[in-house]
Amino acid sequence: MLKHRIANTAGIVAATLLCWLYGLHLYRSANQPLYRSASQPLYSPPPQPAAHAPPSAPAPAPMRDSSDSILTFIHASDVHISKFVPKGGLVHFLHFMQTSVPLISPRALIVTGDLTDGKDKHRLISQQQPEEWLKYAEVLERHKLRARFNGTFYRDQRGNHDCFNVFSADSKENYFKQYSAARDSSGYLLQIQESFGLYSFVATDGCPAHGFARPLNFFGYLDAPSMQLLEQRMDAAKDSNHTFLLNHYPVSTMLYGRHSRPFKALVERASVFLCGHLHELVGGIGRQLQAYKASEGYWELEIGDMKEHAVYRVFAVDHDLVSFVDVRLPLSTIPLSNPALLDARVEEALPHPPVILVTNPKDARYLLPKHEPLERMRTSSFIRMLVWTDAPVSSITVTIDGHRLPHPAAYRGRERQVVEGRADETVKVPLWVVPWDPAQYDDARVHQLQVTVVDEMGKQSTSLTPFALGRDVSIPLNNDARGGWIMQQDFASMFRISGFISYIIMALCLLVIPRLYYAALPNYASWLSDRAVLHHKQQALTHHLFALLQRDANIFARSKLLLAILAAKARFVVWTQFTAQVHFSSSWLFWPSYLFAMSICVLPLFAGRLIPSAAGSDGIGSVYAYGIYMAGEWSPLLDSWTYALASIVSLAVLLVYLPAAIAPPHMFYSPRALTKRPWYRSVAIRVAMLVFIFVYLGIPVLMTLYTYGWESVVFGYGKAWLFIASSVALYMVDWRLPVSLSSYEVPAAST
């Protein structure tokens, strides 16, 4: 008997350690693409445009009333041109090109991904639609976006929808390389040389090496070669006045590898990180997806989508002070109906309210102390604002702290020709200035600048700008509830740490330790009887404390009794759950539970045709907890961690519920207390468990079956198999086995 126990204990410990060691090996292998080993050759990127050395920097120019030293550009994202969705998307993009771009006439237009929708008719399966890409290319051609300013006006890049169901950058399904403006899936370096400085735009492509079909492919990553390319582009931009880093995915949804320097060291050179992807989320929690990364000194600004919210962002760099304003298309309804789908046409510009962007003084919530010459605001002579209108300006009213300034606004704007000989290609710089004395506001207070513009058509807009000229005055954005908290997170670390911790707790506390404890018991029946007596006494103590609480009127005594009751309840729950776990480890249900726990660590959660468009076996991949294995290589995609967490949580809940469900109630409660069925065996709890398992396991299984084929069920060790086993276990325990009190026999020890 003793030899059997020793062998049993050693077998459990050895099997668990072997599984965990192999799981560690898989984890290291899955993350290998993020880091270049000494044996790997350096990546040779495609030739990049030569960086233009900036002219020798003159002394900082004072901010007077000249329209020189102003660079403007527009950022938009998530267009989602669709051949199936009868609203938003394409029709918004057409109005944007017909109305907003001519109105602003910026120096550059940047679109950060999700150019097309890439879904089927039912919007469930990923499928690149060539008609959507043809329409996108048609819009670019019609508005001459590729050719404007000698090809330096328009830049686009891929989003996750643009690489859905695309095996590789060389696949024929990668329509981006054929129909986009950038054509290069690796991103780009765009440098704009002006007389007043050099400004660089560095775009990275966070799409996975293999574009998996949805519901995978929500998170992005940059592997070691991509990080090397980013390093080279950032080095080429090191002499820039400002560098703007662009990616479809926000930093919080990215996993960054490393070549010779980490991402945090590279992004310190960037002033602003521009991204899209999250749209505006739901329920208002994504209305202001912005965050200042203080340790690196840059602002991360996610832009709402063009698809449903019809929003774009106008930037101005005025004497190297970076300002921006968000603008929505002036549509009758948003999203706008589009029954014509890809046949939609927009021939005329819409009447547009004035767009106001105050550049001096700058909004104090978005200062960049590491990158901006903020002292220029304190030595400036004029309030400076850009006002874009499609009709002559009728009036401009400027107030500070409610007091109207005595001087009227004066127009100092101009239209600047970028390329000689192309008079039709100009940049609008509609500058208006108002004289002011900044010394009056150089204090420790926050002031409010309000600008109201009315054009001759009666259209009106108002801009509110909080500013502070005091050196130690800062204004927090206070947008945590509107998206700021999301932008500050590191979901890669969050998912990995929570996955590891939850798995270790589940495996050790709910399976391994109770089993080892059971194997070490010399007399299990006697131990179980003693535990029942202990639980009955603890329950009796709790009832006694309740009785005292009802009789005692002293508030201090009642407080102490209440704390004692909570402590007694907590002890009762912990002790009874441990008893249930040890009892469970002696049943046949322990072994399938243990096997599923180990399979999450060493086997794929599921396998299937993750890229249906790929030929033969190329599109078949395996989703492990640590990443996705396909075509002989790993993709360290964070999506796999979300699937693993769902399986871990589901199994943990089952391993808490099933031991209590199969344990006789008299193990926890004295016979006199068993006047009715225990609360955890009620019909409501049993139904809730079924719903929980269906939501956390059943729905994902149905989605993977529909998207990735029957292989995802046959080889779904951590999903489909777990769902089937859980459903059978719940059926056997909750609906086949008797649950009435009469079915339990109270042993003499418990009386």
XYZ file of all heavy atoms in Angstrom, residues 657-707:
418
model
N -16.707 23.909 -8.888
C -18.116 23.514 -8.781
C -18.309 22.000 -8.655
O -19.045 21.523 -7.773
C -18.890 24.025 -9.992
C -20.320 23.550 -10.038
C -21.281 24.082 -9.193
C -20.711 22.537 -10.915
C -22.597 23.639 -9.224
C -22.021 22.085 -10.952
C -22.955 22.642 -10.100
O -24.251 22.193 -10.128
N -17.645 21.229 -9.503
C -17.879 19.784 -9.521
C -17.524 19.095 -8.199
O -18.290 18.241 -7.733
C -17.105 19.146 -10.680
C -17.637 19.427 -12.084
C -16.736 18.792 -13.134
C -19.068 18.927 -12.232
N -16.393 19.422 -7.566
C -16.129 18.780 -6.269
C -17.213 19.045 -5.232
O -17.588 18.140 -4.471
C -14.795 19.401 -5.845
C -14.126 19.752 -7.124
C -15.234 20.207 -8.021
N -17.724 20.279 -5.188
C -18.801 20.576 -4.240
C -20.084 19.867 -4.633
O -20.868 19.435 -3.776
C -19.020 22.084 -4.164
N -20.295 19.722 -5.956
C -21.541 19.110 -6.422
C -21.598 17.617 -6.131
O -22.669 17.078 -5.826
C -21.707 19.368 -7.920
N -20.469 16.924 -6.227
C -20.498 15.469 -6.013
C -20.325 15.103 -4.536
O -20.503 13.943 -4.162
C -19.411 14.769 -6.844
C -18.005 15.131 -6.352
C -19.571 15.074 -8.323
C -16.902 14.342 -7.015
N -19.940 16.072 -3.705
C -19.769 15.787 -2.278
C -21.135 15.734 -1.594
O -21.989 16.585 -1.839
C -18.895 16.854 -1.632
N -21.385 14.759 -0.698
C -22.650 14.713 0.046
C -22.799 15.964 0.908
O -21.833 16.400 1.540
C -22.507 13.454 0.906
C -21.447 12.643 0.255
C -20.506 13.619 -0.371
N -23.968 16.568 0.957
C -24.149 17.787 1.762
C -23.824 17.588 3.234
O -23.390 18.529 3.905
C -25.621 18.128 1.553
C -25.966 17.538 0.234
C -25.165 16.277 0.138
N -24.021 16.345 3.778
C -23.741 16.149 5.196
C -22.250 16.266 5.503
O -21.854 16.338 6.655
C -24.253 14.772 5.661
C -23.544 13.617 5.019
N -24.130 12.849 4.049
C -22.295 13.112 5.212
C -23.265 11.897 3.681
N -22.153 12.046 4.366
N -21.411 16.291 4.433
C -19.983 16.506 4.639
C -19.711 17.934 5.114
O -18.710 18.211 5.761
C -19.233 16.215 3.341
C -17.712 16.150 3.474
S -16.933 15.882 1.883
C -17.530 14.235 1.490
N -20.632 18.863 4.777
C -20.456 20.271 5.118
C -21.449 20.744 6.182
O -21.109 21.575 7.016
C -20.610 21.135 3.872
C -19.791 20.684 2.701
C -20.328 20.655 1.427
C -18.471 20.290 2.864
C -19.568 20.241 0.343
C -17.708 19.870 1.785
C -18.260 19.843 0.518
N -22.669 20.249 6.121
C -23.734 20.745 6.990
C -24.206 19.642 7.928
O -24.303 18.473 7.533
C -24.922 21.245 6.162
C -24.564 22.358 5.205
C -24.275 22.084 3.862
C -24.504 23.675 5.635
C -23.945 23.089 2.975
C -24.181 24.694 4.756
C -23.896 24.394 3.437
O -23.572 25.400 2.563
N -24.537 19.998 9.166
C -25.079 19.037 10.125
C -26.480 18.626 9.693
O -27.156 19.363 8.968
C -25.121 19.656 11.522
O -25.998 20.776 11.543
N -26.935 17.448 10.117
C -28.254 16.969 9.679
C -29.378 17.939 10.006
O -30.309 18.113 9.219
C -28.403 15.642 10.428
C -27.001 15.204 10.707
C -26.222 16.448 10.926
N -29.293 18.615 11.178
C -30.372 19.527 11.528
C -30.402 20.759 10.635
O -31.429 21.417 10.507
C -30.219 19.942 12.996
C -30.639 18.862 13.983
C -30.414 19.292 15.416
N -28.978 19.374 15.715
C -28.489 19.674 16.915
N -29.314 19.929 17.915
N -27.189 19.716 17.115
N -29.262 21.090 10.031
C -29.230 22.253 9.129
C -29.693 21.910 7.727
O -29.970 22.810 6.925
C -27.820 22.823 9.066
N -29.797 20.635 7.395
C -30.191 20.229 6.046
C -31.710 20.143 5.931
O -32.271 19.083 5.692
C -29.549 18.885 5.703
C -28.063 18.925 5.356
C -27.523 17.528 5.159
C -27.838 19.753 4.111
N -32.344 21.269 6.121
C -33.807 21.292 5.982
C -34.225 21.465 4.532
O -35.395 21.254 4.202
C -34.386 22.431 6.821
O -33.781 23.668 6.398
C -34.101 22.205 8.302
N -33.308 21.877 3.689
C -33.605 22.028 2.267
C -32.334 21.790 1.474
O -31.239 21.660 2.034
C -34.162 23.419 1.969
C -33.232 24.557 2.365
C -33.868 25.896 2.061
C -32.914 27.039 2.460
N -33.512 28.360 2.145
N -32.465 21.744 0.180
C -31.333 21.498 -0.699
C -30.313 22.628 -0.569
O -30.685 23.809 -0.544
C -31.824 21.402 -2.139
C -30.743 21.103 -3.157
C -31.335 21.062 -4.558
N -32.390 20.051 -4.639
C -33.285 20.006 -5.618
N -33.253 20.912 -6.566
N -34.203 19.067 -5.638
N -28.997 22.329 -0.515
C -27.989 23.393 -0.443
C -28.105 24.344 -1.632
O -28.461 23.944 -2.748
C -26.669 22.617 -0.468
C -27.013 21.244 -0.004
C -28.407 20.984 -0.472
N -27.763 25.600 -1.367
C -27.945 26.628 -2.393
C -27.151 26.331 -3.658
O -27.607 26.637 -4.767
C -27.520 27.993 -1.836
C -26.052 28.081 -1.518
C -25.430 27.784 -0.351
C -25.020 28.493 -2.436
N -24.076 27.965 -0.445
C -23.786 28.415 -1.720
C -24.991 28.920 -3.753
C -22.574 28.740 -2.288
C -23.778 29.249 -4.336
C -22.580 29.160 -3.614
N -25.976 25.711 -3.517
C -25.145 25.454 -4.693
C -25.641 24.272 -5.519
O -25.053 23.960 -6.548
C -23.683 25.228 -4.272
C -23.471 24.088 -3.295
C -23.295 22.787 -3.746
C -23.448 24.319 -1.926
C -23.104 21.742 -2.860
C -23.250 23.282 -1.032
C -23.082 21.995 -1.494
O -22.900 20.970 -0.617
N -26.722 23.616 -5.073
C -27.315 22.528 -5.844
C -28.688 22.902 -6.363
O -29.447 22.046 -6.833
C -27.426 21.264 -4.983
C -26.121 20.754 -4.436
C -25.160 20.350 -5.541
N -25.607 19.160 -6.237
C -25.575 18.996 -7.555
N -25.118 19.972 -8.316
N -25.995 17.885 -8.104
N -29.019 24.181 -6.291
C -30.319 24.634 -6.780
C -30.368 24.580 -8.301
O -29.332 24.530 -8.984
C -30.591 26.066 -6.307
O -29.649 26.955 -6.878
N -31.584 24.598 -8.839
C -31.761 24.565 -10.289
C -31.123 25.792 -10.934
O -30.519 25.709 -12.014
C -33.261 24.467 -10.640
C -33.465 24.589 -12.157
C -33.842 23.164 -10.127
N -31.225 26.950 -10.279
C -30.656 28.179 -10.839
C -29.145 28.060 -11.007
O -28.585 28.474 -12.037
C -30.998 29.363 -9.935
N -28.465 27.498 -10.022
C -27.005 27.350 -10.107
C -26.641 26.351 -11.199
O -25.694 26.568 -11.970
C -26.427 26.910 -8.758
C -26.647 28.001 -7.708
C -24.958 26.574 -8.888
C -25.936 29.295 -8.023
N -27.381 25.264 -11.288
C -27.080 24.258 -12.307
C -27.284 24.814 -13.712
O -26.483 24.561 -14.620
C -27.949 23.016 -12.081
C -27.519 22.203 -10.860
C -28.344 20.942 -10.728
N -29.658 21.230 -10.165
C -30.733 20.476 -10.333
N -30.672 19.395 -11.079
N -31.870 20.789 -9.763
N -28.342 25.586 -13.893
C -28.576 26.214 -15.199
C -27.498 27.261 -15.484
O -27.011 27.385 -16.615
C -29.980 26.845 -15.252
C -30.149 27.683 -16.513
C -31.048 25.761 -15.186
N -27.113 28.017 -14.449
C -26.068 29.025 -14.629
C -24.757 28.392 -15.071
O -24.030 28.956 -15.900
C -25.870 29.809 -13.335
N -24.436 27.219 -14.546
C -23.216 26.535 -14.958
C -23.283 26.125 -16.426
O -22.291 26.255 -17.164
C -22.975 25.310 -14.080
C -22.417 25.619 -12.704
S -20.822 26.470 -12.769
C -19.841 25.302 -13.693
N -24.423 25.648 -16.859
C -24.573 25.286 -18.268
C -24.404 26.504 -19.166
O -23.739 26.447 -20.210
C -25.939 24.636 -18.503
C -26.125 23.213 -17.971
C -27.566 22.760 -18.187
C -25.166 22.250 -18.658
N -25.018 27.617 -18.768
C -24.897 28.848 -19.556
C -23.446 29.314 -19.586
O -22.929 29.734 -20.636
C -25.814 29.939 -18.975
C -25.573 31.277 -19.677
C -27.275 29.543 -19.105
N -22.775 29.246 -18.447
C -21.381 29.671 -18.366
C -20.503 28.861 -19.324
O -19.699 29.425 -20.080
C -20.878 29.516 -16.931
C -19.407 29.757 -16.769
C -18.906 31.040 -16.677
C -18.511 28.686 -16.721
C -17.541 31.259 -16.536
C -17.152 28.895 -16.585
C -16.665 30.189 -16.493
N -20.659 27.555 -19.297
C -19.848 26.697 -20.160
C -20.173 26.947 -21.632
O -19.271 26.970 -22.489
C -20.057 25.220 -19.785
C -19.469 24.934 -18.409
C -19.440 24.295 -20.823
C -17.988 25.234 -18.293
N -21.420 27.175 -21.939
C -21.785 27.420 -23.339
C -21.195 28.739 -23.833
O -20.700 28.825 -24.962
C -23.303 27.434 -23.498
C -23.754 27.690 -24.907
C -23.656 26.704 -25.876
C -24.246 28.934 -25.273
C -24.049 26.945 -27.184
C -24.644 29.184 -26.579
C -24.547 28.191 -27.533
N -21.232 29.775 -22.982
C -20.721 31.085 -23.397
C -19.200 31.062 -23.525
O -18.638 31.556 -24.512
C -21.169 32.173 -22.394
C -20.447 33.494 -22.679
C -22.673 32.372 -22.471
N -18.508 30.483 -22.540
C -17.047 30.535 -22.522
C -16.401 29.478 -23.412
O -15.260 29.673 -23.865
C -16.537 30.382 -21.089
C -16.352 31.700 -20.381
C -17.444 32.416 -19.918
C -15.091 32.248 -20.196
C -17.285 33.632 -19.273
C -14.917 33.452 -19.557
C -16.013 34.149 -19.094
O -15.851 35.352 -18.471
N -17.085 28.375 -23.647
C -16.491 27.315 -24.460
C -17.318 26.994 -25.700
O -16.777 26.819 -26.787
C -16.315 26.042 -23.620
C -15.271 26.102 -22.501
C -15.281 24.804 -21.704
C -13.876 26.355 -23.061
N -18.640 26.920 -25.542
C -19.486 26.498 -26.655
C -19.487 27.471 -27.811
O -19.305 27.075 -28.978
N -19.690 28.748 -27.519
C -19.722 29.749 -28.597
C -18.382 29.826 -29.324
O -18.340 29.844 -30.563
C -20.159 31.117 -28.037
C -21.632 31.058 -27.593
C -19.961 32.211 -29.086
C -22.136 32.348 -26.990
N -17.232 29.895 -28.618
C -15.949 29.865 -29.350
C -15.771 28.618 -30.202
O -15.198 28.692 -31.299
C -14.906 29.925 -28.226
C -15.599 30.618 -27.109
C -17.015 30.159 -27.178
N -16.263 27.463 -29.721
C -16.153 26.237 -30.517
C -16.969 26.358 -31.794
O -16.511 25.980 -32.889
C -16.604 25.017 -29.690
C -16.800 23.799 -30.590
C -15.580 24.704 -28.617
N -18.174 26.898 -31.693
C -19.009 27.070 -32.885
C -18.370 28.055 -33.868
O -18.412 27.850 -35.085
C -20.396 27.553 -32.481
C -21.248 26.553 -31.682
C -22.570 27.196 -31.263
C -21.513 25.301 -32.509
N -17.754 29.113 -33.321
C -17.102 30.094 -34.196
C -15.912 29.475 -34.914
O -15.725 29.691 -36.127
C -16.666 31.303 -33.373
C -17.816 32.153 -32.844
S -17.242 33.551 -31.843
C -16.319 34.494 -33.051
N -15.086 28.728 -34.191
C -13.932 28.111 -34.841
C -14.369 27.037 -35.831
O -13.733 26.869 -36.886
C -12.987 27.509 -33.798
O -13.712 26.589 -32.963
C -12.377 28.594 -32.925
N -15.439 26.319 -35.520
C -15.949 25.320 -36.458
C -16.405 25.979 -37.750
O -16.101 25.509 -38.852
C -17.101 24.547 -35.817
C -17.873 23.578 -36.733
C -16.951 22.475 -37.238
C -19.071 22.978 -36.004
N -17.128 27.088 -37.621
C -17.650 27.791 -38.798
C -16.524 28.420 -39.617
O -16.572 28.444 -40.849
C -18.634 28.867 -38.346
C -19.313 29.609 -39.475
C -20.352 29.032 -40.202
C -18.913 30.902 -39.815
C -20.966 29.722 -41.237
C -19.522 31.591 -40.842
C -20.546 30.994 -41.552
O -21.155 31.677 -42.573
N -15.497 28.903 -38.919
C -14.428 29.647 -39.599
C -13.283 28.756 -40.049
O -12.778 28.899 -41.166
C -13.880 30.742 -38.667
O -14.955 31.557 -38.209
C -12.874 31.606 -39.392
